[in-house]
Amino acid sequence: MTATTHTVTNQAPPLVGHDVFGSDRVLAEAVERHLAPELLDEARGDLGVLGQAAGSGQMAKWGERANANPPRLLTHDRYGHRIDEVEFDPAWHRLLGKSVGAGLTDAWGRPGGHVRRAAGFMVVSQVEAGHGCPLSMTHAAVPALRTEPEVAEVWEPAATSHVYEWGLRPVAEKAGVLLGMGMTEKQGGSDVRTNTTEARPLAADGEYVLTGHKWFCSAPMSDAFLVLAQAPAGLTCFLVPRVLPDGSRNAFALQRLKDKLGNRSNASAEVEFDGTTWARRVGEEGRGLRSIMGMVAATRLDCVLGSAALMRQAAAQAVHHCAYRSAFGGLLIDKPLMRNVLADLALESEAATTLGLRLAAAYDADTPQERALLRIAVPAAKYWVTKRCTPMVAEALECLGGNGYVEESGMPRLLRESPLNSVWEGSGNVQALDVVRVLRTEPAALDAFLREVGEARGADHRLDRAIRGVLVELADMDGIEARARRLTERLALVLQGALLVRWAPPEVADAFCAARLGGDGGAAFGTLPHTLDLRAVVERARVEI
Ligand SMILES: Cc1cc2nc3c(=O)[nH]c(=O)nc-3n(C[C@H](O)[C@H](O)[C@H](O)COP(=O)(O)OP(=O)(O)OC[C@H]3O[C@@H](n4cnc5c(N)ncnc54)[C@H](O)[C@@H]3O)c2cc1C
């Protein structure tokens, strides 16, 4: 329909009506690479169905609604009884229904389960990142639950179920549950040893009551939380259900919901445990960190995948816009300088996706060597990929010009979401220091890392030089704490470069090695050497609709 005074021209059509999975060549190739051939047909089929749903426009609408109508805290009912509930827009439940139904909390022990789930998680996170939080925590809780077989027997089948069932009821009455975590307190988040929440043992073995608080507790309508508290023998992990087996509510007072920069569809609460809050021990007393670390490692990988998803969506939107928008007599995508920007964005996105899926495959392989690789590569990837996300998404937003700054483009929501993966689950410095700790205490991890990057040795002189550079850095541990970011960044870049050299098209690997490893690129995006085949890099990232 024309406007009264003019015809609307030169605006890109919305990027809908496509398969978010199948149209992402990098993701589809990664799934093909990492899954056994006998699993591939079914996985491609399932991911294609999810991808079509994600690209249909319907899920995007749910995402918009869930963010426009953020969750509301209901502390009391109309008669004054405490209820401590959070009300969500129906769109939030539809999003969770779709994603839980697609098996995105069910990876452990399924052949190729982690790769399939990682790809699905990347698909849905591109449409709405907020609901990724409960999906991630529920999936990641499984290794922690398994440290206490009696607890796992009850909770694991419900957590890995493909049924999303809303509402606070005992686990025995639910076909599916969501799980969250409570570690961070007011006086300390990174340093959980400072947790002051106290756990007093009850007469029954493994049962306790908690007194204290948690300063951040996301997805507070989840069915249970893995919580750290100080027991007589020290910091211990507990499962705290919202509802007790007899159907009564556990004491779990929601004090406030956080007013957050982004992630607005999701609720993050402050919680108070009043001395009667019932908790079941998970793992040994005093070994809480060990119990919960399996969960933390898995959520850290999801931060990588979540950031990779934001970057993929941002790059796809930028390329799409420029493929339709003309300025100064030609399509933006054909302008040499814009092509350079788009290629650089595509490069960052591809490097993040390739690394994230490689690490998911390591979870599936579950060999000692792959576990050692994860030990160093997950914190390094969490550090680097999540840190690249915000500037990358901001640059992609700029490709849409003024439209990108306007809410209905979806780009502002992507940008607001972008810093979060770098903050939670251990902020940047904490990841870098974890890398240093691993280097000091787990020699098998560095061996596994060097074996992995060694697979690409000899294929690109810039990569070879960068690997040698890492070894030089590592030869001297003097001042290592202050050098931790620098070292972690190099480890991540070398790993990304090695994976791209092995698996990406030559033009992508060439551009990455030149700009990210060879020093032939600037601080801003769009500074790749102009002699490279940038058109091919951009075309690879383009979605045909
Ligand atoms: C939206 C949102 C939801 C969240 N949901 C949850 C949840 O569900 N459950 C939960 O338990 N937590 C949750 N968190 C908390 C989050 O994990 C913490 O905020 C985060 O781990 C950092 O802890 P902190 O805020 O206490 O910061 P601090 O620990 O005080 O850290 C502040 C800064 O200091 C740096 N730093 C810390 N130690 C060192 C050091 N030794 N050397 C150098 N630098 C250092 C950190 O990297 C950080 O940049 C959530 C946070 C957000 C923003």
Side-chain angles (χ1 to χ4, degrees):
M1 195 183 293
T2 52
T4 321
T5 59
H6 62 284
T7 309
V8 177
T9 61
N10 199 24
Q11 292 278 6
L15 181 51
V16 291
H18 63 293
D19 168 1
V20 172
F21 170 71
S23 63
D24 183 345
R25 292 173 191 81
V26 179
L27 184 59
E29 285 169 20
V31 167
E32 194 160 331
R33 179 184 311 131
H34 293 304
L35 282 189
E38 66 275 15
L39 301 173
L40 211 49
D41 277 351
E42 189 193 289
R44 272 206 212 100
D46 290 350
L47 288 165
V49 169
L50 189 63
Q52 289 287 356
S56 66
Q58 164 103 88
M59 269 180 87
K61 279 261 170 295
W62 294 344
E64 280 163 27
R65 280 199 56 168
N67 281 274
N69 306 315
R72 211 161 61 95
L73 176 61
L74 306 173
T75 49
H76 294 80
D77 70 9
R78 59 189 286 205
Y79 305 107
H81 306 112
R82 269 209 92 104
I83 53 171
D84 298 298
E85 292 191 8
V86 179
E87 188 179 74
F88 291 87
D89 188 276
W92 168 260
H93 300 300
R94 295 204 177 98
L95 286 162
L96 275 173
K98 178 65 79 183
S99 296
V100 172
L104 299 188
T105 61
D106 180 19
W108 305 93
R110 285 175 87 196
H114 287 276
V115 166
R116 289 175 62 148
R117 179 193 168 275
F121 186 73
M122 271 197 64
V123 166
V124 300
S125 299
Q126 287 182 56
V127 191
E128 206 293 304
H131 84 297
C133 168
L135 290 176
S136 180
M137 290 195 292
T138 305
H139 149 72
V142 170
L145 292 175
R146 286 182 180 174
T147 61
E148 195 65 40
E150 265 179 43
V151 175
E153 197 181 312
V154 176
W155 287 89
E156 185 177 331
T160 55
S161 151
H162 294 205
V163 177
Y164 172 62
E165 206 180 292
W166 167 249
L168 297 179
R169 288 183 293 286
V171 57
E173 294 173 21
K174 293 193 73 169
V177 297
L178 294 179
L179 301 174
M181 66 161 97
M183 299 199 293
T184 310
E185 297 186 0
K186 295 185 181 79
Q187 72 286 349
S190 309
D191 189 359
V192 290
R193 295 167 309 178
T194 64
N195 272 195
T196 58
T197 296
E198 233 175 46
R200 186 168 56 79
L202 296 172
D205 185 36
E207 298 186 19
Y208 294 71
V209 282
L210 305 186
T211 311
H213 74 280
K214 292 293 162 183
W215 183 228
F216 280 91
C217 183
S218 290
M221 286 299 283
S222 297
D223 296 276
F225 296 81
L226 287 160
V227 167
L228 289 179
Q230 302 287 356
L235 200 61
T236 304
C237 180
F238 296 93
L239 182 111
V240 179
R242 293 283 329 252
V243 180
L244 299 172
D246 66 5
S248 61
R249 294 279 170 100
N250 203 3
F252 197 93
L254 303 181
Q255 307 291 78
R256 278 197 296 180
L257 296 186
K258 303 287 192 186
D259 184 7
K260 297 177 285 186
L261 167 67
N263 198 252
R264 299 187 74 84
S265 62
N266 182 29
S268 301
E270 295 165 18
V271 177
E272 203 86 9
F273 307 130
D274 71 355
T276 67
T277 303
W278 185 88
R280 172 72 170 83
R281 182 175 37 72
V282 172
E284 285 173 51
E285 234 191 57
R287 309 294 295 272
L289 272 181
R290 170 181 274 244
S291 301
I292 212 163
M293 273 329 280
M295 180 172 190
V296 172
T299 54
R300 284 178 178 173
L301 177 53
D302 273 4
C303 291
V304 175
L305 296 166
S307 292
L310 293 171
M311 287 196 266
R312 165 60 191 162
Q313 183 57 206
Q317 292 288 354
V319 173
H320 175 75
H321 179 85
C322 294
Y324 286 90
R325 178 80 167 179
S326 294
F328 299 99
L331 286 171
L332 288 172
I333 199 170
D334 293 327
K335 302 285 180 191
L337 186 53
M338 182 56 96
R339 186 185 300 146
N340 197 327
V341 174
L342 295 174
D344 217 353
L345 298 176
L347 205 57
E348 200 63 43
S349 163
E350 176 149 3
T353 299
T354 304
L355 177 54
L357 269 286
R358 169 65 185 91
L359 299 182
Y363 266 103
D364 280 330
D366 199 27
T367 61
Q369 185 178 323
E370 292 287 275
R371 283 197 292 274
L373 176 66
L374 286 170
R375 203 45 208 93
I376 187 164
V378 168
K382 157 78 159 90
Y383 172 78
W384 184 240
V385 172
T386 65
K387 212 153 268 310
R388 290 296 279 171
C389 187
T390 305
M392 187 279 190
V393 172
E395 193 66 61
L397 179 154
E398 190 172 321
C399 292
L400 276 71
N403 286 1
Y405 203 72
V406 174
E407 284 296 335
E408 58 198 5
S409 72
M411 302 302 281
R413 177 143 63 88
L414 292 183
L415 184 58
R416 282 196 300 273
E417 195 71 30
S418 291
L420 182 52
N421 284 321
S422 182
V423 173
W424 63 10
E425 303 305 328
S427 308
N429 288 354
V430 170
Q431 300 308 309
L433 292 171
D434 194 29
V435 167
V436 166
R437 187 176 313 113
V438 172
L439 286 169
R440 278 192 170 129
T441 59
E442 300 182 42
L446 180 59
D447 289 349
F449 177 87
L450 292 175
R451 248 197 305 266
E452 182 70 18
V453 298
E455 294 282 335
R457 206 190 281 261
D460 187 289
H461 65 280
R462 294 154 301 193
L463 174 62
D464 290 349
R465 197 166 343 110
I467 295 173
R468 285 197 300 275
V470 164
L471 292 174
V472 170
E473 284 273 341
L474 288 173
D476 175 14
M477 296 298 269
D478 194 36
I480 193 68
E481 195 168 321
R483 287 162 46 210
R485 277 188 178 226
R486 177 188 160 102
L487 180 62
T488 303
E489 175 177 321
R490 291 190 180 177
L491 288 170
L493 282 170
V494 161
L495 183 53
Q496 286 185 321
L499 298 179
L500 294 180
V501 162
R502 283 166 72 193
W503 296 324
E507 60 273 11
V508 172
D510 191 22
F512 190 90
C513 289
R516 308 290 196 266
L517 301 176
D520 197 359
F525 287 93
T527 50
L528 297 173
H530 73 284
T531 48
L532 300 174
D533 186 359
L534 302 183
R535 187 187 294 274
V537 178
V538 175
E539 277 307 311
R540 183 168 162 77
R542 184 169 171 181
V543 177
E544 301 289 348
I545 53 166

